[in-house]
Amino acid sequence: MNLKARNENDATSALRIIPREQHVISRKNISKAALRVLYRLNEAGYAAYLVGGAVRDLLLGGHPKDFDVATNATPEDVKKLFRNCRLIGRRFRLAHVVYGSEIIEVATFRGTGEEGVANDGDRHVVDGRIVRDNVWGTIEEDAVRRDFRVNALYYDISDFSVRDYVGGVQDVQDRVLHLIGDPETRYREDPVRMLRAVRLAAKLNFRIDAAASAPFDDLGPLLADAAPARLFDESLKLFLAGHGLKSFRMLEQCGLLRFMFPATARALKRGDDALRSLIEQGLSSTDERVAEGKSVTPAFLFAVLLWGEVRDLAHAWMAKGVDSNEAWSRASMNVVAEQCQRVAIPRRFTFTMEEIWSLQPRFEQVQRKRVFRLMTHPRFRAAFDFLLLRAGESPAIRELGQWWDHAQKLPHETLAAALSGSAAVAEAPPQASASQAAAKPRKRRRRRKSKPDAS
Ligand code: ATP
Ligand code: MG
């Protein structure tokens, strides 16, 4: 079928075209790579639009980090036009055009498939869920299968106008997220849209329209069927993109947290204020780091989110007489195993999380040899930052944090001397009866510290 012809014939009465002089989108704020793709497609006779989050963010005056293009060219057509192009995806086939580190995603307009037909060629729906979506269609059809109205705006490279088929421009002005179509149907098609609602509301400071948030309670459990790998990606976008604290609060308020992080929701429900403060501080310092352009690690984030359950389980086992190391490692393993059924955290991150957790009890052992050994542990910094977040758990933990903070600032010899004798207490920061917290384990283990430490 000639897609171009189909495209031109389909006119929608709802279409509103906003000409260049009536909107703020300037080509200056569109990446060179995206412009090249748009122009090349257009010169070859195809329709070419910037679409989705980039148009939304440009209208809001933001600087999008990724640019998506929609076109009536098929992926194979696109491949012929660009040497630097690869075709990807099976569930949702599209073309990636690569310029250095920048990838422009070029998607062919999707059709909606015929009403009532569950398996129409390459559009596959199981129990209302879209599992494959490769039926080409018109721009109008492409607009209505997008999730939110604000995400269904098209910037036309041929005349620099914005095409709005569903009222997205008004929603951008009103700062509201409306789903396109019937919310329940749209969430059943793809439950991750519920998380996208929360994420975009947090990121953009938008409210979620009542009709779009109403089904969360009933349909939240559908998230259990979402692919864990996809939920991992989504959780990074929720928590590591600079608006983590807000995302977290909204997820909890909306009742969706428990479907993504059941252990976190359970621990918070036990009314653990110290845990809430640990999570909130962890997320807000992560947000600050993102704002400053510093690196952030998923391992630390997940260690923060799951700490409450790990700690409580470990303590419960120790109370039953299980050895401390064994209790911590069992607790970590159990919590990680449960979490990974929902959110597929890659092994390299769970490994680091387990290290951060297992180092926590070691901060209580402040004999000279152990102090220096812990300080040179590759995960010391992360584990120490984590200890500081735990300050609300008890005065002893707060003092322990202060003690280690102080200890790190001392010259090696001073610290070594202090740790060799009773000077340890004198060298501790004035308010740090840290020594109290620290002295306890010290006393317990003194016997084992028999010979001078060579480190
Ligand atoms: P971000 O600012 O995080 O990139 P975004 O809206 O651009 O937000 P993407 O995941 O990059 O999100 O998706 C690009 C566009 O694809 C969206 O704007 C939307 O039009 C469409 N889209 C993405 N995910 C879905 C979905 N689950 N259902 C329907 N449309 C979707
Ligand atoms: Mg995007």
Side-chain angles (χ1 to χ4, degrees):
M1 181 186 324
N2 182 341
L3 295 175
K4 272 181 270 179
R6 229 178 103 177
N7 217 3
E8 280 150 19
N9 293 339
D10 279 4
T12 307
S13 53
L15 171 62
R16 192 179 148 210
I17 297 180
I18 299 106
R20 171 64 192 96
E21 57 282 7
Q22 286 174 32
H23 66 70
V24 297
I25 300 181
S26 153
R27 274 168 291 162
K28 258 202 337 274
N29 297 323
I30 303 174
S31 81
K32 295 249 171 349
L35 287 172
R36 277 163 81 170
V37 171
L38 289 165
Y39 282 128
R40 174 89 62 94
L41 283 164
N42 205 235
E43 281 156 14
Y46 297 105
Y49 300 89
L50 202 60
V51 67
V55 183
R56 175 198 73 210
D57 292 352
L58 286 166
L59 282 176
L60 287 165
H63 298 277
K65 52 183 179 355
D66 54 77
F67 292 89
D68 297 332
V69 167
T71 179
N72 56 358
T74 65
E76 290 72 24
D77 295 334
V78 179
K79 175 112 179 115
K80 279 183 209 144
L81 279 181
F82 298 91
R83 254 189 317 121
N84 45 337
C85 171
R86 51 173 193 249
L87 303 187
I88 62 147
R90 281 180 42 179
R91 206 178 69 90
F92 195 92
R93 280 175 52 217
L94 44 82
H96 272 176
V97 183
V98 185
Y99 291 98
S101 63
E102 192 173 353
I103 297 176
I104 305 298
E105 219 167 80
V106 184
T108 310
F109 296 142
R110 254 54 179 186
T112 42
E114 271 177 63
E115 280 285 314
V117 178
N119 183 355
D120 169 11
D122 219 11
R123 186 171 206 265
H124 199 72
V125 181
V126 176
D127 294 339
R129 214 156 37 89
I130 300 178
V131 291
R132 195 158 60 235
D133 191 358
N134 290 317
V135 169
W136 311 146
T138 63
I139 184 171
E140 293 81 1
E141 288 173 317
D142 189 80
V144 297
R145 62 98 198 162
R146 289 178 184 271
D147 48 6
F148 302 97
R149 292 190 207 160
V150 294
N151 284 350
L153 295 167
Y154 297 75
Y155 172 82
D156 188 342
I157 198 64
S158 71
D159 62 3
F160 315 126
S161 66
V162 170
R163 292 179 157 244
D164 179 3
Y165 293 89
V166 290
V169 169
Q170 187 62 48
D171 285 2
V172 169
Q173 278 161 13
D174 298 344
R175 304 187 82 85
V176 61
L177 295 171
H178 282 278
L179 266 175
I180 299 169
D182 169 53
E184 184 165 338
T185 313
R186 300 308 311 279
Y187 290 141
R188 284 191 186 281
E189 282 175 358
D190 180 6
V192 174
R193 287 174 183 151
M194 290 183 268
L195 298 177
R196 289 179 52 83
V198 170
R199 173 165 76 78
L200 291 174
K203 167 180 157 158
L204 304 168
N205 222 352
F206 276 27
R207 69 185 171 81
I208 305 174
D209 160 59
S213 59
F216 286 172
D217 273 349
D218 286 347
L219 302 185
L222 295 179
L223 284 168
D225 302 328
R230 203 169 157 215
L231 291 189
F232 174 72
D233 291 343
E234 202 57 37
S235 64
L236 299 188
K237 291 187 189 174
L238 276 158
F239 299 121
L240 294 186
H243 46 82
L245 180 56
K246 193 140 185 243
S247 297
F248 173 79
R249 287 183 174 158
M250 288 190 71
L251 271 183
E252 202 189 8
Q253 268 164 20
C254 292
L256 294 177
L257 184 69
R258 67 199 152 113
F259 301 116
M260 242 186 147
F261 294 96
T264 313
R266 270 197 311 266
L268 286 171
K269 219 169 160 201
R270 293 197 281 271
D272 188 335
D273 286 341
L275 177 67
R276 183 171 298 280
S277 134
L278 174 123
I279 294 177
E280 299 217 332
Q281 279 182 46
L283 289 168
S284 98
S285 60
T286 302
D287 290 345
E288 275 166 34
R289 287 185 67 89
V290 175
E292 291 163 10
K294 294 185 184 159
S295 67
V296 288
T297 146
F300 193 83
L301 162 81
F302 290 114
V304 162
L305 287 174
L306 299 171
W307 166 247
E309 187 91 340
V310 173
R311 181 201 54 200
D312 292 355
L313 267 182
H315 286 173
W317 269 313
M318 285 189 284
K320 284 186 190 150
V322 177
D323 159 76
S324 158
N325 283 343
E326 171 67 17
W328 281 99
S329 94
R330 259 200 233 171
S332 308
M333 261 170 44
N334 281 20
V335 171
V336 163
E338 184 202 39
Q339 185 57 53
C340 286
Q341 287 174 6
R342 299 285 169 131
V343 174
I345 309 171
R347 184 70 196 118
R348 64 183 186 282
F349 298 133
T350 60
F351 187 74
T352 306
M353 289 154 61
E354 285 163 8
E355 281 185 314
I356 292 174
W357 293 328
S358 69
L359 290 182
Q360 295 307 305
R362 287 178 52 185
F363 282 107
E364 291 172 30
Q365 303 167 4
V366 293
Q367 311 90 323
R368 175 172 155 156
K369 198 169 184 174
R370 288 170 186 267
V371 165
F372 287 114
R373 203 185 294 147
L374 186 50
M375 277 181 177
T376 54
H377 191 287
R379 219 56 69 192
F380 173 76
R381 189 71 227 173
F384 169 68
D385 286 344
F386 197 91
L387 176 70
L388 293 182
L389 286 181
R390 293 174 54 211
E393 280 178 22
S394 70
I397 296 287
R398 180 189 305 275
E399 285 165 9
L400 207 54
Q402 289 165 344
W403 190 92
W404 280 89
D405 183 40
H406 181 69
Q408 288 170 75
K409 290 174 185 151
L410 293 176
H412 183 96
E413 293 72 27
T414 317
L415 179 60
L419 288 168
S420 302
S422 54
V425 178
E427 289 296 340
Q431 76 280 41
S433 35
S435 6
Q436 273 170 14
K440 235 193 287 163
R442 204 182 137 75
K443 218 156 120 198
R444 212 171 49 222
R445 300 184 182 252
R446 192 149 209 160
R447 260 183 311 116
R448 293 164 58 182
K449 192 172 138 326
S450 49
K451 51 181 187 239
D453 192 334
S455 61

Short mmCIF file of all heavy atoms in Angstrom, two decimals, residues 261-270 272 275 278-279 302-317 327-328 330-336 338-339 357 386 393:
data_model
loop_
_atom_site.label_atom_id
_atom_site.label_comp_id
_atom_site.label_asym_id
_atom_site.label_seq_id
_atom_site.Cartn_x
_atom_site.Cartn_y
_atom_site.Cartn_z
N PHE A 261 8.07 -2.18 44.08
CA PHE A 261 9.01 -2.46 45.18
C PHE A 261 8.22 -2.93 46.40
O PHE A 261 8.04 -2.18 47.36
CB PHE A 261 9.82 -1.20 45.51
CG PHE A 261 10.73 -0.79 44.40
CD1 PHE A 261 10.34 0.17 43.48
CD2 PHE A 261 11.97 -1.40 44.24
CE1 PHE A 261 11.17 0.53 42.43
CE2 PHE A 261 12.80 -1.04 43.20
CZ PHE A 261 12.40 -0.08 42.29
N PRO A 262 7.75 -4.18 46.36
CA PRO A 262 6.90 -4.66 47.45
C PRO A 262 7.60 -4.59 48.81
O PRO A 262 6.98 -4.19 49.81
CB PRO A 262 6.60 -6.11 47.08
CG PRO A 262 7.19 -6.36 45.73
CD PRO A 262 7.98 -5.17 45.31
N ALA A 263 8.89 -4.93 48.85
CA ALA A 263 9.60 -4.95 50.14
C ALA A 263 9.70 -3.54 50.71
O ALA A 263 9.56 -3.33 51.92
CB ALA A 263 10.99 -5.55 49.97
N THR A 264 9.93 -2.56 49.85
CA THR A 264 10.03 -1.16 50.29
C THR A 264 8.69 -0.71 50.87
O THR A 264 8.63 -0.11 51.94
CB THR A 264 10.40 -0.26 49.10
OG1 THR A 264 11.48 -0.86 48.39
CG2 THR A 264 10.76 1.13 49.56
N ALA A 265 7.63 -1.01 50.12
CA ALA A 265 6.30 -0.59 50.56
C ALA A 265 5.96 -1.25 51.91
O ALA A 265 5.43 -0.59 52.81
CB ALA A 265 5.26 -0.95 49.50
N ARG A 266 6.32 -2.53 52.06
CA ARG A 266 6.04 -3.24 53.32
C ARG A 266 6.79 -2.59 54.48
O ARG A 266 6.22 -2.32 55.53
CB ARG A 266 6.52 -4.69 53.21
CG ARG A 266 5.48 -5.66 52.69
CD ARG A 266 5.87 -7.10 52.99
NE ARG A 266 7.23 -7.46 52.64
CZ ARG A 266 7.60 -8.03 51.47
NH1 ARG A 266 6.70 -8.29 50.55
NH2 ARG A 266 8.85 -8.32 51.24
N ALA A 267 8.08 -2.33 54.27
CA ALA A 267 8.89 -1.76 55.35
C ALA A 267 8.37 -0.38 55.75
O ALA A 267 8.28 -0.06 56.93
CB ALA A 267 10.36 -1.69 54.93
N LEU A 268 7.96 0.41 54.77
CA LEU A 268 7.45 1.74 55.07
C LEU A 268 6.12 1.65 55.80
O LEU A 268 5.82 2.47 56.66
CB LEU A 268 7.29 2.56 53.78
CG LEU A 268 8.61 3.04 53.17
CD1 LEU A 268 8.36 3.64 51.79
CD2 LEU A 268 9.27 4.09 54.08
N LYS A 269 5.36 0.66 55.44
CA LYS A 269 4.06 0.49 56.08
C LYS A 269 4.19 0.15 57.56
O LYS A 269 3.30 0.44 58.36
CB LYS A 269 3.28 -0.62 55.36
CG LYS A 269 1.80 -0.28 55.23
CD LYS A 269 1.08 -1.20 54.32
CE LYS A 269 -0.41 -1.14 54.61
NZ LYS A 269 -1.11 -2.29 54.14
N ARG A 270 5.33 -0.42 57.93
CA ARG A 270 5.56 -0.72 59.34
C ARG A 270 5.81 0.57 60.14
O ARG A 270 6.09 0.52 61.33
CB ARG A 270 6.76 -1.67 59.50
CG ARG A 270 6.50 -3.06 58.94
CD ARG A 270 7.51 -4.09 59.46
NE ARG A 270 8.80 -4.04 58.78
CZ ARG A 270 9.09 -4.73 57.67
NH1 ARG A 270 8.18 -5.49 57.10
NH2 ARG A 270 10.28 -4.64 57.11
N ASP A 272 8.23 2.92 59.70
CA ASP A 272 9.63 3.13 60.01
C ASP A 272 10.09 4.52 59.52
O ASP A 272 10.39 4.72 58.36
CB ASP A 272 10.42 2.01 59.30
CG ASP A 272 11.88 2.00 59.69
OD1 ASP A 272 12.39 3.06 60.09
OD2 ASP A 272 12.49 0.94 59.57
N LEU A 275 13.65 4.81 58.14
CA LEU A 275 13.77 4.29 56.79
C LEU A 275 13.25 5.32 55.78
O LEU A 275 13.86 5.56 54.74
CB LEU A 275 12.99 2.98 56.63
CG LEU A 275 13.03 2.40 55.23
CD1 LEU A 275 14.44 1.96 54.86
CD2 LEU A 275 12.05 1.24 55.07
N LEU A 278 15.83 7.87 55.40
CA LEU A 278 16.97 7.34 54.63
C LEU A 278 16.65 7.37 53.13
O LEU A 278 17.45 7.83 52.31
CB LEU A 278 17.26 5.90 55.08
CG LEU A 278 18.30 5.11 54.30
CD1 LEU A 278 19.41 4.64 55.25
CD2 LEU A 278 17.74 3.89 53.63
N ILE A 279 15.46 6.91 52.78
CA ILE A 279 15.10 6.86 51.36
C ILE A 279 14.97 8.28 50.80
O ILE A 279 15.50 8.60 49.73
CB ILE A 279 13.78 6.09 51.16
CG1 ILE A 279 13.98 4.61 51.51
CG2 ILE A 279 13.26 6.24 49.73
CD1 ILE A 279 12.72 3.75 51.41
N PHE A 302 19.16 1.21 44.66
CA PHE A 302 18.40 0.03 45.06
C PHE A 302 18.77 -0.42 46.47
O PHE A 302 17.93 -0.94 47.20
CB PHE A 302 18.58 -1.11 44.04
CG PHE A 302 17.92 -0.83 42.71
CD1 PHE A 302 18.67 -0.65 41.57
CD2 PHE A 302 16.54 -0.73 42.63
CE1 PHE A 302 18.05 -0.38 40.34
CE2 PHE A 302 15.92 -0.45 41.42
CZ PHE A 302 16.67 -0.28 40.27
N ALA A 303 20.04 -0.20 46.85
CA ALA A 303 20.44 -0.53 48.22
C ALA A 303 19.63 0.32 49.20
O ALA A 303 19.18 -0.16 50.24
CB ALA A 303 21.93 -0.29 48.41
N VAL A 304 19.43 1.59 48.85
CA VAL A 304 18.65 2.49 49.70
C VAL A 304 17.19 2.02 49.77
O VAL A 304 16.61 1.89 50.85
CB VAL A 304 18.73 3.93 49.13
CG1 VAL A 304 17.62 4.81 49.67
CG2 VAL A 304 20.10 4.55 49.43
N LEU A 305 16.61 1.72 48.62
CA LEU A 305 15.19 1.37 48.59
C LEU A 305 14.88 0.09 49.37
O LEU A 305 13.82 -0.04 49.96
CB LEU A 305 14.71 1.22 47.14
CG LEU A 305 14.57 2.52 46.34
CD1 LEU A 305 14.23 2.21 44.89
CD2 LEU A 305 13.49 3.42 46.94
N LEU A 306 15.82 -0.84 49.36
CA LEU A 306 15.52 -2.16 49.94
C LEU A 306 16.10 -2.37 51.34
O LEU A 306 15.90 -3.42 51.94
CB LEU A 306 16.03 -3.26 48.99
CG LEU A 306 15.38 -3.24 47.59
CD1 LEU A 306 16.08 -4.20 46.65
CD2 LEU A 306 13.90 -3.58 47.70
N TRP A 307 16.80 -1.37 51.83
CA TRP A 307 17.52 -1.53 53.10
C TRP A 307 16.61 -1.97 54.26
O TRP A 307 16.96 -2.85 55.05
CB TRP A 307 18.23 -0.22 53.45
CG TRP A 307 18.73 -0.12 54.85
CD1 TRP A 307 18.30 0.72 55.82
CD2 TRP A 307 19.79 -0.89 55.45
NE1 TRP A 307 19.01 0.54 56.98
CE2 TRP A 307 19.93 -0.45 56.78
CE3 TRP A 307 20.64 -1.90 54.99
CZ2 TRP A 307 20.87 -0.98 57.66
CZ3 TRP A 307 21.57 -2.44 55.87
CH2 TRP A 307 21.68 -1.98 57.19
N GLY A 308 15.44 -1.34 54.38
CA GLY A 308 14.58 -1.60 55.53
C GLY A 308 14.29 -3.08 55.69
O GLY A 308 14.42 -3.64 56.79
N GLU A 309 13.94 -3.71 54.61
CA GLU A 309 13.58 -5.13 54.66
C GLU A 309 14.81 -6.00 54.93
O GLU A 309 14.75 -6.95 55.71
CB GLU A 309 12.92 -5.52 53.34
CG GLU A 309 12.35 -6.92 53.34
CD GLU A 309 10.89 -7.01 53.78
OE1 GLU A 309 10.40 -6.06 54.44
OE2 GLU A 309 10.24 -8.01 53.44
N VAL A 310 15.92 -5.65 54.32
CA VAL A 310 17.16 -6.43 54.53
C VAL A 310 17.55 -6.36 56.01
O VAL A 310 17.80 -7.39 56.66
CB VAL A 310 18.31 -5.87 53.66
CG1 VAL A 310 19.63 -6.54 54.01
CG2 VAL A 310 18.01 -6.07 52.19
N ARG A 311 17.56 -5.15 56.54
CA ARG A 311 17.97 -4.96 57.95
C ARG A 311 17.03 -5.72 58.89
O ARG A 311 17.45 -6.46 59.77
CB ARG A 311 17.95 -3.46 58.26
CG ARG A 311 18.35 -3.10 59.66
CD ARG A 311 17.81 -1.72 60.02
NE ARG A 311 16.37 -1.68 59.78
CZ ARG A 311 15.68 -0.56 59.62
NH1 ARG A 311 16.28 0.59 59.62
NH2 ARG A 311 14.37 -0.60 59.43
N ASP A 312 15.70 -5.57 58.68
CA ASP A 312 14.76 -6.21 59.59
C ASP A 312 14.86 -7.73 59.52
O ASP A 312 14.78 -8.41 60.54
CB ASP A 312 13.32 -5.75 59.27
CG ASP A 312 13.13 -4.27 59.59
OD1 ASP A 312 14.08 -3.66 60.14
OD2 ASP A 312 12.06 -3.72 59.29
N LEU A 313 15.05 -8.25 58.31
CA LEU A 313 15.18 -9.71 58.18
C LEU A 313 16.45 -10.20 58.86
O LEU A 313 16.43 -11.20 59.58
CB LEU A 313 15.28 -10.09 56.70
CG LEU A 313 14.00 -10.46 55.96
CD1 LEU A 313 14.33 -10.85 54.52
CD2 LEU A 313 13.31 -11.63 56.67
N ALA A 314 17.55 -9.48 58.63
CA ALA A 314 18.83 -9.88 59.24
C ALA A 314 18.70 -9.88 60.76
O ALA A 314 19.10 -10.83 61.44
CB ALA A 314 19.95 -8.96 58.79
N HIS A 315 18.09 -8.82 61.30
CA HIS A 315 17.93 -8.74 62.76
C HIS A 315 17.04 -9.87 63.27
O HIS A 315 17.31 -10.47 64.32
CB HIS A 315 17.36 -7.38 63.16
CG HIS A 315 18.38 -6.28 63.06
ND1 HIS A 315 18.09 -4.95 63.22
CD2 HIS A 315 19.70 -6.33 62.78
CE1 HIS A 315 19.18 -4.23 63.06
NE2 HIS A 315 20.18 -5.05 62.79
N ALA A 316 15.99 -10.19 62.50
CA ALA A 316 15.08 -11.26 62.93
C ALA A 316 15.84 -12.59 63.03
O ALA A 316 15.67 -13.36 63.97
CB ALA A 316 13.89 -11.37 61.97
N TRP A 317 16.71 -12.84 62.04
CA TRP A 317 17.46 -14.10 62.07
C TRP A 317 18.47 -14.12 63.21
O TRP A 317 18.66 -15.13 63.86
CB TRP A 317 18.13 -14.38 60.72
CG TRP A 317 17.25 -15.18 59.82
CD1 TRP A 317 16.56 -16.31 60.16
CD2 TRP A 317 16.93 -14.92 58.46
NE1 TRP A 317 15.83 -16.76 59.09
CE2 TRP A 317 16.05 -15.94 58.04
CE3 TRP A 317 17.30 -13.93 57.56
CZ2 TRP A 317 15.53 -16.00 56.74
CZ3 TRP A 317 16.80 -13.99 56.28
CH2 TRP A 317 15.92 -15.01 55.87
N ALA A 327 23.22 -14.27 58.74
CA ALA A 327 21.92 -13.58 58.76
C ALA A 327 21.88 -12.48 57.70
O ALA A 327 20.91 -12.35 56.96
CB ALA A 327 21.68 -12.99 60.14
N TRP A 328 22.97 -11.70 57.61
CA TRP A 328 23.00 -10.61 56.62
C TRP A 328 23.00 -11.17 55.20
O TRP A 328 22.32 -10.64 54.32
CB TRP A 328 24.23 -9.72 56.82
CG TRP A 328 24.01 -8.76 57.94
CD1 TRP A 328 24.46 -8.89 59.22
CD2 TRP A 328 23.24 -7.54 57.91
NE1 TRP A 328 24.02 -7.84 59.99
CE2 TRP A 328 23.29 -7.00 59.22
CE3 TRP A 328 22.53 -6.88 56.92
CZ2 TRP A 328 22.63 -5.80 59.54
CZ3 TRP A 328 21.89 -5.69 57.24
CH2 TRP A 328 21.94 -5.16 58.55
N ARG A 330 21.84 -14.06 54.14
CA ARG A 330 20.53 -14.64 53.82
C ARG A 330 19.51 -13.55 53.54
O ARG A 330 18.74 -13.64 52.60
CB ARG A 330 20.03 -15.44 55.02
CG ARG A 330 20.23 -16.92 54.86
CD ARG A 330 19.28 -17.61 55.82
NE ARG A 330 19.99 -18.55 56.66
CZ ARG A 330 19.45 -19.16 57.72
NH1 ARG A 330 18.21 -18.90 58.08
NH2 ARG A 330 20.15 -20.02 58.42
N ALA A 331 19.53 -12.50 54.39
CA ALA A 331 18.56 -11.41 54.22
C ALA A 331 18.75 -10.75 52.85
O ALA A 331 17.79 -10.52 52.12
CB ALA A 331 18.74 -10.39 55.34
N SER A 332 20.00 -10.47 52.50
CA SER A 332 20.28 -9.82 51.21
C SER A 332 19.78 -10.69 50.07
O SER A 332 19.12 -10.20 49.15
CB SER A 332 21.77 -9.60 51.00
OG SER A 332 22.32 -8.95 52.08
N MET A 333 20.11 -11.96 50.14
CA MET A 333 19.74 -12.85 49.05
C MET A 333 18.22 -12.93 48.87
O MET A 333 17.71 -12.84 47.76
CB MET A 333 20.28 -14.27 49.31
CG MET A 333 21.56 -14.54 48.56
SD MET A 333 22.31 -16.06 49.09
CE MET A 333 20.94 -17.18 49.18
N ASN A 334 17.52 -13.07 49.99
CA ASN A 334 16.06 -13.16 49.91
C ASN A 334 15.43 -11.91 49.32
O ASN A 334 14.57 -11.99 48.45
CB ASN A 334 15.47 -13.38 51.30
CG ASN A 334 15.60 -14.81 51.74
OD1 ASN A 334 16.44 -15.54 51.20
ND2 ASN A 334 14.81 -15.23 52.71
N VAL A 335 15.88 -10.77 49.82
CA VAL A 335 15.27 -9.51 49.37
C VAL A 335 15.58 -9.29 47.89
O VAL A 335 14.72 -8.91 47.11
CB VAL A 335 15.75 -8.34 50.25
CG1 VAL A 335 15.30 -7.01 49.67
CG2 VAL A 335 15.22 -8.51 51.66
N VAL A 336 16.82 -9.54 47.49
CA VAL A 336 17.20 -9.35 46.09
C VAL A 336 16.41 -10.31 45.19
O VAL A 336 15.89 -9.93 44.14
CB VAL A 336 18.72 -9.55 45.90
CG1 VAL A 336 19.08 -9.77 44.44
CG2 VAL A 336 19.47 -8.35 46.45
N GLU A 338 13.47 -11.65 45.67
CA GLU A 338 12.07 -11.22 45.53
C GLU A 338 11.98 -10.01 44.61
O GLU A 338 11.15 -9.95 43.71
CB GLU A 338 11.47 -10.86 46.90
CG GLU A 338 9.99 -10.52 46.78
CD GLU A 338 9.43 -9.66 47.93
OE1 GLU A 338 10.14 -8.74 48.39
OE2 GLU A 338 8.30 -9.89 48.33
N GLN A 339 12.90 -9.05 44.82
CA GLN A 339 12.84 -7.82 44.03
C GLN A 339 13.06 -8.08 42.54
O GLN A 339 12.42 -7.48 41.69
CB GLN A 339 13.88 -6.81 44.55
CG GLN A 339 13.80 -5.47 43.88
CD GLN A 339 12.44 -4.85 44.01
OE1 GLN A 339 11.90 -4.71 45.09
NE2 GLN A 339 11.83 -4.47 42.88
N TRP A 357 25.45 -3.41 51.85
CA TRP A 357 24.72 -3.86 53.05
C TRP A 357 25.64 -4.62 54.00
O TRP A 357 25.64 -4.40 55.19
CB TRP A 357 23.55 -4.78 52.67
CG TRP A 357 22.46 -4.10 51.92
CD1 TRP A 357 22.07 -2.80 52.04
CD2 TRP A 357 21.60 -4.69 50.92
NE1 TRP A 357 21.02 -2.54 51.18
CE2 TRP A 357 20.72 -3.68 50.49
CE3 TRP A 357 21.49 -5.96 50.36
CZ2 TRP A 357 19.73 -3.91 49.52
CZ3 TRP A 357 20.51 -6.19 49.40
CH2 TRP A 357 19.64 -5.17 48.98
N PHE A 386 26.30 5.45 52.75
CA PHE A 386 25.09 4.76 53.17
C PHE A 386 24.93 4.83 54.69
O PHE A 386 23.84 5.10 55.21
CB PHE A 386 25.17 3.29 52.71
CG PHE A 386 23.85 2.58 52.73
CD1 PHE A 386 23.04 2.56 51.61
CD2 PHE A 386 23.41 1.92 53.87
CE1 PHE A 386 21.82 1.91 51.63
CE2 PHE A 386 22.20 1.26 53.89
CZ PHE A 386 21.39 1.26 52.77
N GLU A 393 18.51 6.20 62.40
CA GLU A 393 18.15 4.91 63.01
C GLU A 393 18.35 4.91 64.52
O GLU A 393 17.55 4.33 65.25
CB GLU A 393 18.97 3.77 62.38
CG GLU A 393 18.42 3.33 61.05
CD GLU A 393 19.25 2.24 60.39
OE1 GLU A 393 20.00 1.53 61.09
OE2 GLU A 393 19.17 2.12 59.16
#
